[in-house]
């Protein structure tokens, strides 16, 4: 459970960073088709949090590269 809490914290921190430093990108996060998926029991899994965090990092990295 602590691992998921840590991932949640990282997701939150990255989202806040995007909101504060890249507001033009932040408004599009709602439209991001990659969301935290759930397993058959409708509970988020550790891997779904990892995937979502990685997708946020990737979005930010690509945005930064294209807006140098």
């Amino acid at each position: 459970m602590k691992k998921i809490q840590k991932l949640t914290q990282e997701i939150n921190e990255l989202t806040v960073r995007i909101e504060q430093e890249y507001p033009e990108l932040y408004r599009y996060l709602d439209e991001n088709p990659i969301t935290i998926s759930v397993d058959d029991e409708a509970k988020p899994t550790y891997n779904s949090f990892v995937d979502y965090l990685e997708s946020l990092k990737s979005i930010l990295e690509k945005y930064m590269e294209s807006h140098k």
Side-chain angles (χ1 to χ4, degrees), residues 14-26 29:
L14 183 55
T15 303
V16 169
R17 177 179 172 215
I18 292 170
E19 179 182 27
Q20 292 175 349
E21 297 177 23
Y22 306 95
E24 66 281 9
L25 176 61
Y26 179 77
L29 291 184

Side-chain angles (χ1 to χ4, degrees), residues 21-51:
E21 297 177 23
Y22 306 95
E24 66 281 9
L25 176 61
Y26 179 77
R27 68 179 184 208
Y28 294 109
L29 291 184
D30 286 4
E31 299 171 10
N32 179 7
I34 302 172
T35 59
I36 298 176
S37 59
V38 294
D39 63 14
D40 293 339
E41 296 177 7
K43 294 180 183 176
T45 65
Y46 175 79
N47 287 338
S48 62
F49 279 83
V50 170
D51 291 345

